């Protein structure tokens, strides 16, 4: 595929290790670093006929809006303003400032990846865009699920999501039947609607992990072997988190479900 000159220039001037340079953005920088090779693994595993160089560029820039989101909010809250929208605004601003007027298929695909990764239900994508958006979406889901353990360890100690602060008298180890059922089945659910305690939030995050293992088994096996995903370390970390946030009976059951998922 011929990549539009504007995309190549944007890529050159917005490399992820440069725009994600602040300390607070290091987690996102590592996320991008992992996404790039993971997207290639997914493309090869699912036998997609795509341009690997262009896929790498799309993967590297899919979260550029996170830089602007942090500047605006001091956090990464998509419910206030979507990083997808900020990403496309960032690219459009670049185009207008450099007076590019030649638009082609690569521009359409690049914009669709920025705007619709993780939100594919919002539009009907073109035949050209669909594989790129789907691959980046799968890679994004997978990497988020695997990397979430690193920030969960910190959040448990700091009450980063504010559950204890908002409800100091609530039993933060309480879990509703709805959340537990979805966790056991590895089915995603709406965090904002159903998580009211810290235990439920932890199970929500772990459900994302289980869901990715279940849905992307072939990708997971390749990622384990080719990328730096240390499964024993991940399990040990989840075990620690479960012990800190769940009741004794539930933490044992939750850990066993996680172990069984990885064995299958």
């Amino acid at each position: 595929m011929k990549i539009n000159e504007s995309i190549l220039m944007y890529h050159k001037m917005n490399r992820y290790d440069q725009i994600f340079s602040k300390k607070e953005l290091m987690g996102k920088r590592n996320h991008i670093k992992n996404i790039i090779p993971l997207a290639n693994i997914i493309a090869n595993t699912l036998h997609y006929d795509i341009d690997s160089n262009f896929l790498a560029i799309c993967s590297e820039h899919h979260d550029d809006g996170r830089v602007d989101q942090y500047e605006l909010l001091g956090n990464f809250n998509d419910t206030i303003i979507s990083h997808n929208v900020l990403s496309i605004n960032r690219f459009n601003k670049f185009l207008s400032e450099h007076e590019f007027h030649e638009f082609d298929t690569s521009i359409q695909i690049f914009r669709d990846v920025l705007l619709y990764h993780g939100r594919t239900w919002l539009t009907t994508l073109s035949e050209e865009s669909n594989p790129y958006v789907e691959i980046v979406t799968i890679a994004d889901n997978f990497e988020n699920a695997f990397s979430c353990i690193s920030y969960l360890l910190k959040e448990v100690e700091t009450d980063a999501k504010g559950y204890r602060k908002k409800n100091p008298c609530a039993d933060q180890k309480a879990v509703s039947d709805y959340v537990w059922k979805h966790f056991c089945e590895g089915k995603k659910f709406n965090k904002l609607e159903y998580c009211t305690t810290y235990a439920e939030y932890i199970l929500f995050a772990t459900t994302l992990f289980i869901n990715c293992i279940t849905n992307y088994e072939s990708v997971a096996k390749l990622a384990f072997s080719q990328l730096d995903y240390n499964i024993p370390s991940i399990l040990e970390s989840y075990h620690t988190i479960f012990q800190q946030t769940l009741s004794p009976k539930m933490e044992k059951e939750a850990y066993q479900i996680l172990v069984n998922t990885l064995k299958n």
Side-chain angles (χ1 to χ4, degrees):
M1 170 183 289
K2 181 183 178 182
I3 305 173
N4 191 288
E5 187 65 30
S6 64
I7 297 175
L8 294 175
M9 184 177 289
Y10 178 82
H11 177 58
K12 183 178 181 180
M13 297 175 66
N14 292 272
R15 299 308 303 269
Y16 79 97
D17 54 348
Q18 297 171 345
I19 67 174
F20 288 90
S21 58
K22 287 186 177 180
K23 179 181 68 174
E24 295 84 359
L25 298 173
M26 283 295 104
K28 295 299 180 184
R29 177 175 170 175
N30 292 333
H31 171 71
I32 300 298
K33 181 181 178 180
N34 289 333
I35 284 285
I36 297 169
L38 181 56
N40 187 57
I41 288 173
I42 292 168
N44 291 334
T45 304
L46 301 181
H47 306 294
Y48 275 110
D49 182 18
I50 49 87
D51 184 316
S52 59
N53 290 328
F54 187 41
L55 176 63
I57 291 175
C58 291
S59 301
E60 178 168 336
H61 296 289
H62 79 282
D63 267 357
D64 283 1
R66 292 293 190 190
V67 177
D68 304 293
Q69 190 179 49
Y70 187 81
E71 289 293 328
L72 289 168
L73 305 176
N75 56 48
F76 305 110
N77 192 335
D78 278 342
T79 60
I80 298 176
I81 184 167
S82 166
H83 76 281
N84 300 63
V85 172
L86 291 173
S87 292
I88 198 71
N89 288 347
R90 185 185 183 95
F91 180 59
N92 286 342
K93 181 182 178 183
F94 176 86
L95 292 180
S96 64
E97 288 177 347
H98 292 82
E99 299 184 350
F100 284 107
H101 302 293
E102 179 186 346
F103 295 92
D104 56 22
T105 301
S106 67
I107 289 280
Q108 175 194 329
I109 295 171
F110 190 68
R111 279 178 161 163
D112 282 347
V113 169
L114 297 182
L115 191 56
Y116 295 114
H117 74 272
R119 314 192 307 170
T120 55
W121 64 87
L122 293 177
T123 190
T124 301
L125 295 165
S126 69
E127 184 178 343
E128 294 83 6
S129 291
N130 188 67
Y132 290 91
V133 177
E134 183 177 358
I135 291 168
V136 172
T137 295
I138 294 173
D140 202 26
N141 288 340
F142 192 91
E143 212 289 319
N144 280 330
F146 272 71
S147 65
C148 73
I149 190 66
S150 61
Y151 62 75
L152 286 177
L153 285 165
K154 299 175 184 176
E155 288 185 352
V156 168
E157 299 299 326
T158 61
D159 190 27
K161 295 298 179 183
Y163 288 94
R164 292 190 292 272
K165 183 178 180 180
K166 292 175 184 175
N167 302 290
C169 297
D171 178 6
Q172 293 298 325
K173 294 188 175 184
V175 175
S176 70
D177 291 341
Y178 179 92
V179 170
W180 180 249
K181 181 177 185 293
H182 278 67
F183 167 76
C184 292
E185 296 176 357
K187 292 182 178 179
K188 294 180 182 180
F189 57 92
N190 189 323
K191 174 181 67 176
L192 297 177
E193 184 175 355
Y194 292 102
C195 290
T196 60
T197 68
Y198 218 98
E200 290 176 338
Y201 167 65
I202 293 299
L203 291 179
F204 163 80
T206 316
T207 299
L208 298 183
F209 180 85
I210 292 174
N211 186 266
C212 279
I213 295 295
T214 303
N215 289 340
Y216 312 130
E217 182 179 357
S218 57
V219 174
K221 288 178 180 178
L222 274 173
F224 296 161
S225 63
Q226 297 184 29
L227 300 178
D228 188 23
Y229 290 121
N230 188 322
I231 295 304
S233 176
I234 289 174
L235 278 174
E236 182 180 349
S237 296
Y238 269 114
H239 197 195
T240 299
I241 288 174
F242 289 162
Q243 289 175 325
Q244 292 176 330
T245 60
L246 305 179
S247 66
K249 180 177 183 296
M250 187 167 284
E251 64 97 352
K252 290 182 175 62
E253 293 179 4
Y255 182 69
Q256 193 58 54
I257 287 171
L258 196 57
V259 170
N260 291 341
T261 300
L262 289 168
K263 281 183 178 178
N264 293 336

